[in-house]
C-alpha cells in the first residue's frame, strides 16, 4: 500500500484473514475507506478451538495434532481425505468445496516445512483472539458479516460487534465459515453495494 501509494481503499478479509484488514486500518487509517470483515476467526481460547467446531472428525484430528511429539507425526499424515473432511465442516453445502480447490490446497501438504508451519499457525491462534484488543482503535467504517452456519457462536459475534462499536452485523443465509468460496456472489454484492 505504501510502496504503490494506494489511497481510498476498501479492503476485505475472511476468517484468520478477516483480522488482517482491521490491523491494516489501524496502521494506515488515512488510506482505508472501509473494511469488510467476514466470519472473523477471533475467538480461540485454546489450540484450534474454532476449527474444532466444524465436526467430530476435525476435533479428533486437531486434538492429536496439538499433542507434544506425536502432534508432528499426526500433522504429517494430512492428505486430501483428511483436509476435505476438515474443510467440509466449514461449508453449509459441501458441493461448494471444489475438487480443484482441494487439489490446490493439497499441493502444499508435502512441501518442506509445511507440518511445522501449519502447527505453528494453530499454536499462535490465541493471537487472533488477542487481536480483538486492538478493535477499539479501528477508526474506519467496518461492516461485519457472518455466515449463518459459521463456526462462531452468537456470543462470539456479539462480542466482536461490541468491540468494534457496531450496532449490528449482517448474516449470509445457508452459508458456513468459508463465505468467499460458498457464496461468492453474495460476498461480491455486499462489497460492491
Amino acid at each position: 500500500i505504501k510502496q504503490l501509494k494506494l489511497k481510498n481503499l476498501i479492503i476485505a478479509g475472511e476468517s484468520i484473514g478477516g483480522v488482517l484488514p482491521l490491523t491494516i486500518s489501524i496502521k494506515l487509517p488515512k488510506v482505508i475507506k472501509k473494511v469488510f470483515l467476514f466470519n472473523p476467526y477471533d475467538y480461540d481460547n485454546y489450540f484450534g478451538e474454532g476449527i474444532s467446531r466444524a465436526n467430530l472428525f476435525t476435533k479428533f484430528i486437531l486434538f492429536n495434532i496439538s499433542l507434544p511429539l506425536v502432534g508432528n507425526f499426526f500433522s504429517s499424515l494430512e492428505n486430501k481425505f483428511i483436509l476435505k473432511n476438515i474443510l467440509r465442516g466449514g461449508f453449509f453445502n459441501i458441493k461448494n468445496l471444489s475438487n480443484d480447490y482441494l487439489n490446490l490446497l493439497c499441493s502444499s501438504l508435502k512441501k518442506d516445512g509445511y507440518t511445522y508451519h501449519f502447527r505453528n499457525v494453530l499454536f499462535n491462534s490465541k493471537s487472533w483472539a488477542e487481536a480483538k484488543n486492538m478493535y477499539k482503535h479501528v477508526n474506519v467504517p467496518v461492516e461485519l458479516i457472518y455466515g449463518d452456519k459459521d463456526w462462531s457462536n452468537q456470543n462470539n459475534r456479539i462480542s466482536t460487534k461490541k468491540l468494534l462499536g457496531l450496532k449490528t452485523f449482517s448474516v449470509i443465509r445457508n452459508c458456513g465459515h468459508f463465505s468467499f468460496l460458498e457464496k461468492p456472489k453474495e460476498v461480491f454484492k455486499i462489497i460492491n453495494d
Side-chain angles (χ1 to χ4, degrees), residues 82-102:
I82 290 173
L83 188 57
K84 181 178 183 176
N85 283 291
I86 289 172
L87 290 176
R88 76 181 313 133
F91 287 84
F92 173 76
N93 182 350
I94 190 61
K95 291 179 182 174
N96 292 316
L97 176 56
S98 76
N99 199 48
D100 288 342
Y101 184 66
L102 267 174

Side-chain angles (χ1 to χ4, degrees), residues 126-175:
K126 282 191 178 180
S127 68
W128 312 331
E130 289 168 4
K132 291 197 304 189
N133 296 329
M134 297 186 302
Y135 288 5
K136 63 186 171 202
H137 302 294
V138 175
N139 291 318
V140 300
V142 175
E143 191 164 335
L144 179 60
I145 306 99
Y146 290 98
D148 63 345
K149 307 298 184 205
D150 179 51
W151 297 330
S152 61
N153 60 38
Q154 193 66 8
N155 288 338
N156 300 142
R157 297 171 191 199
I158 290 170
S159 172
T160 296
K161 178 189 77 160
K162 285 182 180 176
L163 288 170
L164 288 168
L166 302 174
K167 293 181 181 174
T168 188
F169 57 82
S170 301
V171 174
I172 301 174
R173 298 283 168 215
N174 300 322
C175 184

Side-chain angles (χ1 to χ4, degrees), residues 16 47 65 71-72 75-76 78 108-125 128:
I16 301 166
F47 184 94
I65 289 173
N72 277 335
S75 184
S76 71
E78 187 172 354
S108 296
L109 295 178
K110 299 303 175 196
K111 290 185 178 177
D112 287 343
Y114 172 80
T115 298
Y116 166 79
H117 290 293
F118 175 68
R119 290 185 78 222
N120 195 41
V121 165
L122 291 176
F123 275 119
N124 285 292
S125 60
W128 312 331

Side-chain angles (χ1 to χ4, degrees), residues 14 81 107 114-115 175 179 193:
E14 178 166 62
F81 172 81
S107 68
Y114 172 80
T115 298
C175 184
S179 61
D193 279 349

